[in-house]
Amino acid sequence: MLQNKLNNPKTLTFLIIIIFIILGLIIFQTLDVKKETATLTYENNKVTFIVPRGYHFNETESLDNLLRYKNKKTEDLIIYSIEQTDKEKFEQTKKQIENEHKNLFNNIKLKEYKTTIENQTIKVLEVKYTPSNKKENKNTYIFYPLKNNYIAKITTNSANINKSNIKNYIKTK
């Protein structure tokens, strides 16, 4: 009975298609494991983030603890850095980000929220702004807590990041 079905060209074609789909999925999973990573180290703090697909390391614009990645298709950037902070410093950083944008653009909108990623409470600051004669842009600042009052600060200019999908952009290894 099985041999009769295998002699049927339609069944054989269907099996070949299934085999190629399975092989494609295996290859896709293998490539997914080899994603680019961003490792930050400062004093006793070390964190490695999995860089989203499509972003590549920009060696010319990176420093020891400030790693830049660029998406060549969209021109979006992700910048990973590590810095010391506390409650007061965090408020100063927020004010500094706000002032920097106000000095460059007339119309800015700030949105702050918290979310949980990998059992960590993450603070996020979104700054929407409109350069003259252009469409609205957005910078997102993500503050990922580390130990000893240090944070990993992830900055991106991708308009696609929002509260519901931010976990897809911030993954630790």
Side-chain angles (χ1 to χ4, degrees), residues 11-62:
T11 305
L12 193 54
T13 303
F14 179 73
L15 285 174
I16 290 171
I17 290 171
I18 295 297
I19 289 169
F20 276 111
I21 290 172
I22 291 170
L23 287 174
L25 289 172
I26 290 169
I27 291 169
F28 181 76
Q29 289 295 330
T30 303
L31 292 175
D32 196 39
V33 170
K34 296 180 180 179
K35 279 186 176 178
E36 210 164 334
T37 59
T39 300
L40 299 168
T41 306
Y42 188 74
E43 292 186 359
N44 292 328
N45 293 284
K46 181 177 181 179
V47 63
T48 300
F49 291 97
I50 299 170
V51 179
R53 186 179 311 275
Y55 287 84
H56 301 286
F57 184 62
N58 186 337
E59 187 174 355
T60 57
E61 294 185 17
S62 294

Side-chain angles (χ1 to χ4, degrees), residues 39-47 49 64-67 79-85 144-147 149-154:
T39 300
L40 299 168
T41 306
Y42 188 74
E43 292 186 359
N44 292 328
N45 293 284
K46 181 177 181 179
V47 63
F49 291 97
D64 287 341
N65 285 310
L66 188 131
L67 306 174
I79 303 167
Y80 298 89
S81 61
I82 192 167
E83 50 189 68
Q84 193 171 17
T85 192
Y144 189 93
L146 303 172
K147 58 185 178 184
N149 286 333
Y150 281 87
I151 59 159
K153 182 172 124 187
I154 300 101

Side-chain angles (χ1 to χ4, degrees), residues 87 90-95 97-98 109-115 121-128 138-143 162-163 166:
K87 200 172 196 175
F90 177 75
E91 293 301 320
Q92 290 172 349
T93 301
K94 280 187 348 186
K95 199 68 174 161
I97 290 169
E98 180 180 11
K109 299 173 196 163
L110 293 173
K111 178 180 176 184
E112 183 180 348
Y113 60 87
K114 291 181 184 179
T115 189
T121 300
I122 310 297
K123 294 180 181 179
V124 181
L125 180 64
E126 287 182 359
V127 183
K128 291 183 180 181
K138 179 173 75 166
N139 289 340
T140 304
Y141 300 87
I142 302 148
F143 302 93
N162 56 51
K163 189 173 184 175
I166 198 166

